[in-house]
């Protein structure tokens, strides 16, 4: 008897499983809030040098704001005031003749900056003057967060395979709450950067543990449906985020608001069951029997568990060595596991790299960032409905390859579309966002099915860590547009195509039972 048979007896897709899905939606709401938070809290509003020091009680004080800018701030090629420089002294003659200003001496802003607060009351840039020669620090905040996510994926992958899914999920909740609120009340940029790093560290456990805990309770027939349903919470939350950011336009309050759903998640955590698969694989058959009995009771299948004793469950999953501890080294000890680790790592890197290359560039299409973010989120819903049917009809591998190729093609077209054709550029960006989200939905489900139970969380943790390397690099790649504007898109495009090729080398998992041990992987063709 296999675990899938036991799960079928107690109903692998009943009220018990729906309860798990609903309880895990609560913390997962915070994932897109935090992962895409930088689109709003790190926005740089229009700004120019602070001119208050030039007020002399004379001519300058009697000028209008527009006239003050004319005599104090050089104009850029596009006709807007320079953001980082000012004239050495007031150039009153420019009020009558502003045609020749090339020879006028300028200096770096001497007394800080004045920001346009019409859209955002406060951002990281306005809080700590992260503009001009410090704009790199502002953009690096996204990389710092995702470096924390990368480390968290590794650590939580190890710990949840060793200590269980449910226990480590609570640790993730509590750490994300603490560091999320601490970052919201940071009194220096250094403190914010450190707290943001550990927020990413804590919150990644929610991402990788919740999907594994859920899938391990679902039968083969409904894994695709549940995998897509679990990812819809991301899409819906992504569409909510711009509205939330519009209403809460102070970065401190927005960060705290994005963290707040985790308080409810902590309250409801006690109703989540531990993974019965993990319990059996780790010799805790009595605990597994308790949770399976609870599942049978909620699903009105109590009679089915009457003939299944705890001792029977010990034979459901045959582990190599009882009480053996698995680690990331087991990903590379055997040939097929090693091959699987290399391929999934590259695919995850490519999926995340391209997804966030599009998602973190909401201001690069000449449309309101609120509208762009909303459209980016809205396109994910039909994309996921489409990928659900693709996953069921053509399988995981072809869906993974196809979505990555289509993402790369959309990015490729945007390389050649002129910047002044903003609507067309936005259309291809939105299509690329939809395909990249489909690729992300697929890779989560696909990877969960590829790795065995004893290594599933380690495998997903490693893969997620590889993805976060891509996410951490993506904001830095976007900065290359200052060197050559199409360069970032060219890099994103090439990576998407390469990841698609690597995905084509993975085995198909459609309608295949989940592997339980490393030997299950090594014995496959």
């Amino acid at each position: 008897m296999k675990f899938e048979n036991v799960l079928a007896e107690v109903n692998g897709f009943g009220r018990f499983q729906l309860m798990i899905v609903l309880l895990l939606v609560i913390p997962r709401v915070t994932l897109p809030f935090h992962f895409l938070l930088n689109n709003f809290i790190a926005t740089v509003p229009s700004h120019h040098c602070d001119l208050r020091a030039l007020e002399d009680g004379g001519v300058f004080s009697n000028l209008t704001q527009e006239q003050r800018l004319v005599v104090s701030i050089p104009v850029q090629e596009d006709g807007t005031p320079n953001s980082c420089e000012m004239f050495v002294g007031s150039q009153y003659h420019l009020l009558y003749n502003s045609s020749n200003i090339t020879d006028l001496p300028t200096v770096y802003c001497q007394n800080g900056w004045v920001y346009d607060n019409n859209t955002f009351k406060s951002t990281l840039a306005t809080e700590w003057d992260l503009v001009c020669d410090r704009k790199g620090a502002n953009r690096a905040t996204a990389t710092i967060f995702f470096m924390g996510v990368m480390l968290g994926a590794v650590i939580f992958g190890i710990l949840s395979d060793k200590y269980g899914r449910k226990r480590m999920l609570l640790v993730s909740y509590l750490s994300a709450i603490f560091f999320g609120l601490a970052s919201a009340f940071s009194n220096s940029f250094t403190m914010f950067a450190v707290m943001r790093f550990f927020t990413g560290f804590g919150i990644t456990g929610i991402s990788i543990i919740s999907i594994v805990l859920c899938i391990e309770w679902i039968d083969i027939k409904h894994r695709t449906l549940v995998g897509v349903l679990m990812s819809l919470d991301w899409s819906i939350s992504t569409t909510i985020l711009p509205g939330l950011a519009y209403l809460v336009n102070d970065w401190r309050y927005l960060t705290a608001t994005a963290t707040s759903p985790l308080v409810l998640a902590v309250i409801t955590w006690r109703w989540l069951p531990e993974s019965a698969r993990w319990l059996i694989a780790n010799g805790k058959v009595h605990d597994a029997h308790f949770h399976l009995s609870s599942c049978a009771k909620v699903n009105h299948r109590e009679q089915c568990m009457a003939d299944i004793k705890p001792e029977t469950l010990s034979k459901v999953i045959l582990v190599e060595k009882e009480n053996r501890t698995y680690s990331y080294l087991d990903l590379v000890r055997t040939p097929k596991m090693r091959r699987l680790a290399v391929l999934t790592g590259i695919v995850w890197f490519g999926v995340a790299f391209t997804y966030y290359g599009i998602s973190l560039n909401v201001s690069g299409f000449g449309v309101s960032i609120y509208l762009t973010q909303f459209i980016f989120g809205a396109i994910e819903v039909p994309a996921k409905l489409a990928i659900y049917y693709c996953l069921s009809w053509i399988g995981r591998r072809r869906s993974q390859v196809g979505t990555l190729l289509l993402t790369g093609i959309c990015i490729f077209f945007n390389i050649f579309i002129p910047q002044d054709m903003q609507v067309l550029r936005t259309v291809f960006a939105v299509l690329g966002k939809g395909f990249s989200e489909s690729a992300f939905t697929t890779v989560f489900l696909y990877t969960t099915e590829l790795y065995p139970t004893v290594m599933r969380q380690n495998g997903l943790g490693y893969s997620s860590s590889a993805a976060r390397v891509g996410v951490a690099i993506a904001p830095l790649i976007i900065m290359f547009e200052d060197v050559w504007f199409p360069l970032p898109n060219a890099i994103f495009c090439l990576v998407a195509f390469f990841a698609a090729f690597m995905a084509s080398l993975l085995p198909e998992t459609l309608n295949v039972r989940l592997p339980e041990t490393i030997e299950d992987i090594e014995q496959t063709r």
Side-chain angles (χ1 to χ4, degrees):
M1 177 183 286
K2 296 292 185 181
F3 183 82
E4 302 295 348
N5 303 117
V6 177
L7 199 57
E9 290 292 322
V10 299
N11 189 355
F13 189 63
R15 293 170 60 191
F16 186 80
Q17 283 73 15
L18 291 177
M19 177 194 72
I20 295 174
V21 172
L22 291 175
L23 289 175
L24 290 175
V25 163
I26 299 170
R28 286 176 61 85
V29 164
T30 64
L31 294 178
F33 285 179
H34 274 284
F35 278 52
L36 301 174
L37 193 61
N38 258 58
N39 282 343
F40 299 99
I41 67 171
T43 295
V44 180
S46 300
H47 56 281
H48 59 76
C49 298
D50 190 340
L51 306 177
R52 284 177 296 182
L54 299 178
E55 294 186 8
D56 53 7
V59 177
F60 190 86
S61 300
N62 294 324
L63 298 178
T64 65
Q65 180 61 24
E66 184 179 349
Q67 290 173 328
R68 292 183 181 189
L69 292 177
V70 170
V71 303
S72 306
I73 306 293
V75 178
Q76 301 178 113
E77 292 182 1
D78 61 359
T80 59
N82 192 296
S83 299
C84 305
E85 294 181 346
M86 58 188 293
F87 294 126
V88 173
S90 300
Q91 307 296 319
Y92 295 112
H93 67 277
L94 294 178
L95 293 172
Y96 309 101
N97 181 14
S98 59
S99 59
N100 185 17
I101 62 172
T102 55
D103 297 329
L104 298 177
T106 61
V107 293
Y108 191 74
C109 293
Q110 301 294 298
N111 302 290
W113 290 263
V114 173
Y115 299 92
D116 179 3
N117 295 323
N118 290 329
T119 303
F120 297 97
K121 181 180 178 181
S122 173
T123 69
L124 299 180
T126 65
E127 183 83 16
W128 292 300
D129 286 335
L130 303 180
V131 294
C132 298
D133 61 346
R134 297 191 67 198
K135 68 180 180 181
N138 188 48
R139 292 182 177 180
T141 53
T143 298
I144 291 168
F145 172 79
F146 286 114
M147 286 175 66
V149 172
M150 178 177 63
L151 180 62
V154 175
I155 301 301
F156 278 105
I158 296 172
L159 296 180
S160 59
D161 266 343
K162 186 174 182 179
Y163 297 109
R165 312 330 189 191
K166 181 178 178 180
R167 189 179 302 174
M168 295 316 301
L169 195 58
L170 179 61
V171 173
S172 183
Y173 289 172
L174 295 176
S175 58
I177 290 173
F178 177 80
F179 291 113
L181 293 178
S183 62
F185 296 102
S186 298
N187 56 17
S188 69
F189 176 72
T190 301
M191 179 181 176
F192 172 80
V194 173
M195 293 301 101
R196 194 73 180 130
F197 174 88
F198 284 107
T199 302
F201 175 88
I203 207 166
T204 191
I206 301 171
S207 176
I208 66 173
I209 297 173
S210 61
I211 187 69
V212 169
L213 177 59
C214 189
I215 292 298
E216 287 184 340
W217 273 105
I218 304 297
D219 59 23
I220 293 176
K221 182 180 178 182
H222 297 97
R223 281 202 313 248
T224 303
L225 175 62
V226 171
V228 173
L229 283 176
M230 284 286 286
S231 67
L232 274 175
D233 53 27
W234 175 284
S235 303
I236 294 172
S237 298
T238 301
T239 60
I240 294 173
L241 178 59
L244 191 65
Y246 181 80
L247 295 173
V248 186
N249 59 4
D250 182 290
W251 75 268
R252 292 183 185 275
Y253 293 121
L254 182 58
T255 302
T257 303
T259 308
S260 59
L262 291 177
V263 176
L264 179 59
V266 171
I267 296 172
T268 59
W269 170 84
R270 61 191 296 266
W271 292 305
L272 280 171
E274 180 55 273
S275 167
R277 286 182 189 269
W278 179 86
L279 290 168
I280 297 172
N282 286 271
K284 304 176 187 294
V285 291
H286 290 279
D287 291 337
H289 189 272
F290 170 78
H291 287 298
L292 285 167
S293 298
S294 299
C295 176
K297 183 177 180 180
V298 173
N299 291 341
H300 304 297
R301 296 284 186 90
E302 296 98 324
Q303 191 59 38
C304 298
M305 288 300 295
D307 300 326
I308 300 177
K309 305 299 180 184
E311 295 73 20
T312 307
L313 294 177
S314 63
K315 301 175 183 178
V316 167
I317 298 175
L318 299 176
V319 297
E320 289 91 337
K321 292 180 183 177
E322 193 171 351
N323 297 323
R324 174 184 170 183
T325 300
Y326 293 88
S327 70
Y328 285 106
L329 291 177
D330 291 295
L331 291 172
V332 295
R333 281 196 173 116
T334 54
K336 290 192 176 178
M337 280 294 292
R338 186 162 52 244
R339 182 176 186 271
L340 179 61
V342 171
L343 293 177
T344 55
I346 293 173
V347 171
W348 271 78
F349 176 91
V351 169
F353 184 67
T354 52
Y355 178 89
Y356 284 96
I358 299 172
S359 299
L360 296 177
N361 195 28
V362 292
S363 61
F365 301 101
V367 183
S368 163
I369 63 171
Y370 297 115
L371 179 60
T372 304
Q373 183 64 66
F374 176 80
I375 295 172
F376 275 4
I379 191 63
E380 292 184 7
V381 177
K384 286 181 177 177
L385 294 176
I387 200 62
Y388 167 69
Y389 290 104
C390 289
L391 288 167
S392 301
W393 290 345
I394 67 174
R396 281 54 161 151
R397 179 171 56 191
R398 290 179 180 175
S399 296
Q400 190 71 77
V401 173
T403 52
L404 280 167
L405 285 176
L406 289 170
T407 300
I409 289 170
C410 289
I411 297 173
F412 177 78
F413 282 137
N414 248 351
I415 295 175
F416 302 99
I417 299 175
Q419 284 183 261
D420 56 353
M421 300 179 68
Q422 294 174 351
V423 174
L424 188 58
R425 285 178 58 80
T426 303
V427 167
F428 275 100
V430 169
L431 289 174
K433 178 63 161 55
F435 290 127
S436 65
E437 174 56 32
S438 296
F440 232 133
T441 302
T442 302
V443 78
F444 258 109
L445 176 63
Y446 199 8
T447 307
T448 304
E449 295 176 337
L450 284 168
Y451 282 100
T453 298
V454 294
M455 285 293 294
R456 185 164 295 121
Q457 199 68 75
N458 273 320
L460 194 58
Y462 150 75
S463 300
S464 181
S465 183
R468 303 318 162 193
V469 174
V471 177
I473 294 174
L476 304 180
I477 295 297
I478 294 174
M479 294 173 68
F480 285 152
E481 65 186 12
D482 294 336
V483 179
W484 183 48
F485 190 79
L487 183 57
N489 277 347
I491 296 173
F492 292 132
C493 174
L494 290 174
V495 171
F497 289 151
F498 181 67
F501 170 73
M502 300 306 283
S504 68
L505 304 178
L506 288 167
E508 181 56 69
T509 60
L510 178 63
N511 295 327
V512 176
R513 72 175 180 85
L514 294 179
E516 307 293 356
T517 65
I518 292 176
E519 271 135 358
D520 288 345
I521 299 295
E522 296 301 320
Q523 289 169 3
T524 57
R525 290 194 226 174

